[in-house]
Amino acid sequence: MSIKTQSEIEKMRISGRILANTLKILTEMAVEGITPKDLAKVAASELKRNGATATFLGYGGTPPYPDVICISVNDQVQHSVPTNIPLKNGDIVNFDFGVTYDGLVTDSGVTICVGGVPNQSQRRLLEGTKQALYDAISIIKPGIKVGDISSTIEKTLRKYKLGIVKELVGHGVGHELHEDLEVPNYGKAGTGPVLKPGMTIAVEPITTLGKPDIYQDNDGWTLRTWDGSLSAQFEHTILITENGCEVLTAL
Ligand code: MF3
Ligand code: CO
């Protein structure tokens, strides 16, 4: 995986700030009655206003991803195409967004409960998934191995009794959305590639309240849980520094 130069890192910082700011706007706007499609339009206009472009639009194979952002509601797990179905209080909504600025990419995601009052199991889903990401961030520094991140995430998710969607993994990011290093959300400490200063990775635990099995909708993108259970994801793009790490997609 590539080591980024100072000027590439500076572009990723700008990209990450635009991304974080957009996610903040979207989570504040995500109230009952608004549609995911409305929110995707806001994301597109934020990109334009900031001189950035959409990493996800046109991404991938057949069909190419058709929108600027993925907005996954309730049993939708990831890669969900924004719909015209209005949000309701109590919906669990994940925003997963990618921003390209001057050729450099960052990727980040957040999950919320519409109306801001999650029930007990929804709170376990949101808190556990977020905690897994922040536990991982707390150990990231040069010299650790990817398996150390994976096992840290797995341990936290098991503690919260959440399902781990094993098909979906974190990844290297920067020149492209998905660079060659994979960061699974389960695994053994002390295994895998060693992290070095200048590497940039996206860490993204993806969980379910029920069984972790998923299937793809007939739009060719949207992934859903088999058992209809709720799903969550939190993601940050992280730079490995000389002494530790820097979260590039935090405000
Ligand atoms: N954060 C998602 C991932 O790393 C981005 C999906 S991009 C899409 O898989 F275009 F596939 F939606
Ligand atoms: Co990602």
Side-chain angles (χ1 to χ4, degrees), residues 121-157:
S121 58
Q122 289 174 329
R123 203 172 330 129
R124 178 165 57 84
L125 175 72
L126 298 178
E127 284 181 10
T129 311
K130 188 174 187 178
Q131 189 64 47
L133 173 59
Y134 282 89
D135 285 347
I137 290 169
S138 77
I139 65 146
I140 295 178
K141 60 178 182 184
I144 73 158
K145 293 183 173 173
V146 167
D148 299 326
I149 300 176
S150 301
S151 72
T152 299
I153 292 172
E154 179 173 9
K155 202 170 133 209
T156 302
L157 296 180

Side-chain angles (χ1 to χ4, degrees), residues 151-240:
S151 72
T152 299
I153 292 172
E154 179 173 9
K155 202 170 133 209
T156 302
L157 296 180
R158 301 245 178 261
K159 189 170 100 190
Y160 281 85
K161 297 188 162 42
L162 295 173
I164 301 173
V165 178
K166 295 194 169 172
E167 293 90 333
L168 299 169
V169 296
H171 48 90
V173 62
H175 297 295
E176 288 167 273
L177 175 60
H178 294 135
E179 296 184 347
D180 55 9
L181 190 125
E182 289 199 347
V183 187
N185 294 309
Y186 62 96
K188 250 174 95 69
T191 65
V194 177
L195 297 186
K196 299 192 180 78
M199 286 182 167
T200 45
I201 58 173
V203 177
E204 50 178 321
I206 297 158
T207 62
T208 61
L209 264 185
K211 296 216 171 72
D213 309 274
I214 59 172
Y215 69 96
Q216 190 177 70
D217 252 0
N218 48 25
D219 62 11
W221 278 101
T222 305
L223 300 172
R224 292 179 183 266
T225 57
W226 254 111
D227 62 7
S229 70
L230 300 176
S231 176
Q233 179 253 27
F234 285 82
E235 176 175 24
H236 274 307
T237 293
I238 298 156
L239 166 71
I240 318 305

Side-chain angles (χ1 to χ4, degrees), residues 55-60 64-67 69-70 78-80 96-98 107-109 168-171 177-178 202 204 206 221 233 235:
T55 312
F56 295 179
L57 183 66
Y59 182 80
Y65 190 72
D67 211 317
I69 187 169
C70 302
Q78 282 288 280
H79 304 172
S80 308
D96 183 354
F97 195 31
D107 185 12
S108 180
L168 299 169
V169 296
H171 48 90
L177 175 60
H178 294 135
E204 50 178 321
I206 297 158
W221 278 101
Q233 179 253 27
E235 176 175 24

Side-chain angles (χ1 to χ4, degrees), residues 45-63:
S45 77
E46 279 302 299
L47 288 171
K48 197 163 181 199
R49 192 174 70 77
N50 288 290
T53 56
T55 312
F56 295 179
L57 183 66
Y59 182 80
T62 28

